[in-house]
Amino acid sequence: MGHPRYLRLILLVFSLQLMLYPRLGACESQDNTLPLDDLRTFADVFHQIRLGYVEDVKDSTLLRYAIQGMLMGLDPHSIYMNQEAFADLKSSTSGEFTGLGLEVGIEDGYIEVIAPIDGSPAAAADLQTGDIILKLDSISLKGVSLNEAVAKMRGPKGTKILLTIGRMGENRPLEVLLTRDVISVASVRYRMLEDGFGYIRIAQFQNKTGENVSKALFSLKEKSNLRGIVLDLRNNPGGVLRSSIEVTELFLSGGRVVYTEGRLPDSSTEYFANSVDLSEGAPLVVLINGGSASASEIVAGALQDHSRAIIMGTRSFGKGSVQSILHISEERAIKLTTALYFTPKGRSIQAEGIKPDITVDRAKVTTFTEQSRISEKNLARHLGDKSEKTEKSKTPSSNLIRTDNQLYEALTLLKGLDILSRNISMSNDQEIPRTTKADN
């Protein structure tokens, strides 16, 4: 049986919505006729909960639950944000908050790890992309909203929390005890791997990431003539869209970086790079993995489409959607998926991710030292090297292959490209004799 009071109220809300937000109605592919049967069902359910639930629940609370459920049903990234959740969002993009250091999403009703943040308690405990957080302390997270789960993980510095983790390949859930800490996300770190070969690590795209990468490039160029750069986007969950575009254009000489398509007129946008490649065309390898999401995939996809970089690692996460913050009031907002990203060549990132040009799985590598062998120079009366030129041996990155095999492979590739480039240049500048003494 219907309940006219609730039904009239709901009809009034929907009618006001159509009058106040006409542009939303204009996006409908069908007419704006209200689904009366569905609204009547909603009113009936609302009334039955209000009348018969074991505990008394305020109407405002029930309606908030309905809003949360409506957004959760859309996709893993659309959520309702109260004042506290909105403040948390702003703090994460500015670079400091208190918690565990996890970027999480929701999948099939469970909280899934997208990536641990560099230097955080979660990273120190070796939490991995794809881990499912089953419980926080003794509380199951099945069906818990993303906002609630994040709120439970946040807390005062120094307090402990027990995570029960489901991990692919493990027969039993894992229990990990973490201590909350202030998470200061250093967005950009850089160093020289070897003379001429620079390394730039972006942990998260924050408001000043583009500026910081620019400074890193200037610093690396001052230290050495750059013959190659590794841009490390592994376990980078994304962040500010504008920053990802600013980073990409540092390595391009113009061209489209990314474009978006959505139902609202202002959600379809193209972004282009400036015509200055600050890296001056230095060979570039971009490292990605399953924890590289959103803004990271924009950078990798654009550089791949422009043939500006070699993408190495494993397939990225596949989050190719745009979330817009829509204010409901001064204290409340919703984060709503309003568009999809596409690479310059029109590839969709959503659920597909970026496939690397060269697949290199993360692995533990053990090196073996060859036993002492006799070589030509050990033989009595061996002929000496009559070449006037002697080449100094370079110290290899022997430790890197054991600590980070993917980075080692990226560096090796850059060194190989550098050798090939120099050999080609030498062959063009210096004529090599085509005959031998035996031919005379």
Side-chain angles (χ1 to χ4, degrees):
M1 178 180 177
H3 297 276
R5 174 190 169 194
Y6 300 117
L7 185 57
R8 285 198 298 271
L9 177 61
I10 294 168
L11 287 171
L12 176 62
V13 170
F14 272 80
S15 299
L16 286 172
Q17 181 263 336
L18 290 175
M19 288 188 293
L20 293 174
Y21 302 101
R23 68 172 188 158
L24 293 178
C27 294
E28 295 288 345
S29 58
Q30 301 176 353
D31 62 56
N32 294 323
T33 303
L34 294 175
L36 294 180
D37 289 341
D38 293 328
L39 292 174
R40 186 176 290 108
T41 300
F42 180 86
D44 287 342
V45 172
F46 183 88
H47 176 73
Q48 292 299 335
I49 294 173
R50 192 170 182 272
L51 184 69
Y53 186 66
V54 64
E55 295 178 353
D56 184 41
V57 183
K58 293 181 180 180
D59 288 353
S60 60
T61 301
L62 288 177
L63 290 172
R64 186 175 75 251
Y65 290 163
I67 294 169
Q68 291 173 342
M70 182 164 52
L71 288 162
M72 286 177 62
L74 297 175
D75 61 62
H77 311 292
S78 296
I79 57 173
Y80 172 76
M81 306 176 72
N82 56 22
Q83 186 176 17
E84 183 179 356
F86 188 42
D88 286 343
L89 176 68
K90 290 191 289 185
S91 67
S92 65
T93 57
S94 64
E96 185 171 291
F97 58 94
T98 302
L100 304 178
L102 277 173
E103 178 76 14
V104 294
I106 193 164
E107 186 70 27
D108 296 329
Y110 281 106
I111 305 301
E112 180 181 12
V113 174
I114 296 176
I117 296 172
D118 286 0
S120 68
D126 197 30
L127 292 186
Q128 301 174 13
T129 298
D131 283 350
I132 301 297
I133 305 177
L134 303 173
K135 293 181 182 179
L136 291 175
D137 289 329
S138 59
I139 302 173
S140 172
L141 294 188
K142 174 65 175 176
V144 172
S145 72
L146 196 59
N147 277 347
E148 291 176 292
V150 170
K152 291 178 187 297
M153 286 186 273
R154 298 283 174 91
K157 176 183 177 181
T159 56
K160 298 182 183 298
I161 185 170
L162 181 67
L163 277 65
T164 303
I165 301 294
R167 178 175 296 168
M168 185 176 296
E170 297 289 341
N171 295 326
R172 296 180 179 179
L174 308 174
E175 290 190 345
V176 181
L177 183 65
L178 297 180
T179 302
R180 297 180 179 93
D181 202 351
V182 176
I183 310 300
S184 298
V185 183
S187 175
V188 178
R189 293 184 285 113
Y190 64 94
R191 69 179 192 271
M192 296 299 296
L193 295 171
E194 288 186 10
D195 183 42
F197 298 97
Y199 171 80
I200 300 175
R201 161 69 178 159
I202 304 178
Q204 187 182 43
F205 286 91
Q206 300 171 3
N207 294 323
K208 295 186 177 181
T209 298
E211 177 185 339
N212 291 336
V213 173
S214 176
K215 291 178 180 178
L217 280 170
F218 275 117
S219 179
L220 290 172
K221 288 193 293 184
E222 286 177 355
K223 293 178 181 179
S224 175
N225 177 32
L226 277 181
R227 307 198 304 276
I229 303 169
V230 177
L231 181 63
D232 190 352
L233 301 179
R234 292 173 296 176
N235 291 329
N236 181 326
V240 180
L241 170 63
R242 182 69 247 176
S243 293
S244 70
I245 296 165
E246 291 171 354
V247 168
T248 305
E249 64 185 5
L250 294 174
F251 300 96
L252 292 178
S253 297
R256 185 161 65 179
V257 174
V258 68
Y259 68 95
T260 64
E261 290 184 353
R263 293 169 59 226
L264 295 177
D266 57 358
S267 63
S268 297
T269 311
E270 289 185 280
Y271 299 91
F272 292 86
N274 294 324
S275 57
V276 177
D277 179 357
L278 193 61
S279 66
E280 300 177 355
L284 180 65
V285 174
V286 178
L287 288 176
I288 62 172
N289 66 3
S292 307
S294 191
S296 299
E297 296 172 294
I298 290 174
V299 175
L303 295 176
Q304 189 178 50
D305 277 8
H306 284 281
S307 301
R308 175 62 185 87
I310 297 173
I311 312 301
M312 179 181 286
T314 56
R315 188 184 289 269
S316 63
F317 185 79
K319 181 184 179 295
S321 57
V322 183
Q323 280 70 48
S324 300
I325 305 300
L326 306 177
H327 292 270
I328 306 302
S329 69
E330 292 184 1
E331 298 183 351
R332 294 173 295 167
I334 61 172
K335 184 165 71 170
L336 184 69
T337 299
T338 54
L340 295 177
Y341 294 123
F342 294 87
T343 70
K345 290 185 177 180
R347 293 183 295 157
S348 174
I349 299 171
Q350 180 60 27
E352 293 295 327
I354 300 297
K355 182 181 178 182
D357 299 306
I358 301 175
T359 298
V360 178
D361 292 316
R362 188 68 186 269
K364 291 183 179 180
V365 178
T366 302
T367 59
F368 296 92
T369 303
E370 289 189 2
Q371 298 295 325
S372 179
R373 292 184 179 180
I374 295 175
S375 63
E376 174 71 15
K377 68 179 181 180
N378 300 123
L379 299 178
R381 301 182 304 281
H382 71 274
L383 296 176
D385 182 6
K386 295 182 180 180
S387 174
E388 295 179 358
K389 296 181 179 180
T390 59
E391 186 176 341
K392 295 181 180 179
S393 61
K394 297 181 179 180
T395 304
S397 303
S398 56
N399 189 49
L400 194 59
I401 192 173
R402 293 191 294 270
T403 59
D404 191 339
N405 70 297
Q406 291 174 320
L407 180 54
Y408 175 84
E409 294 292 348
L411 176 59
T412 301
L413 177 58
L414 286 175
K415 291 163 74 173
L417 292 173
D418 180 57
I419 293 170
L420 179 62
S421 175
R422 285 189 283 117
N423 287 347
I424 293 174
S425 178
M426 289 176 61
S427 66
N428 291 334
D429 296 339
Q430 179 180 349
E431 184 177 350
I432 300 175
R434 297 179 179 276
T435 62
T436 66
K437 293 181 179 179
D439 295 327
N440 298 328

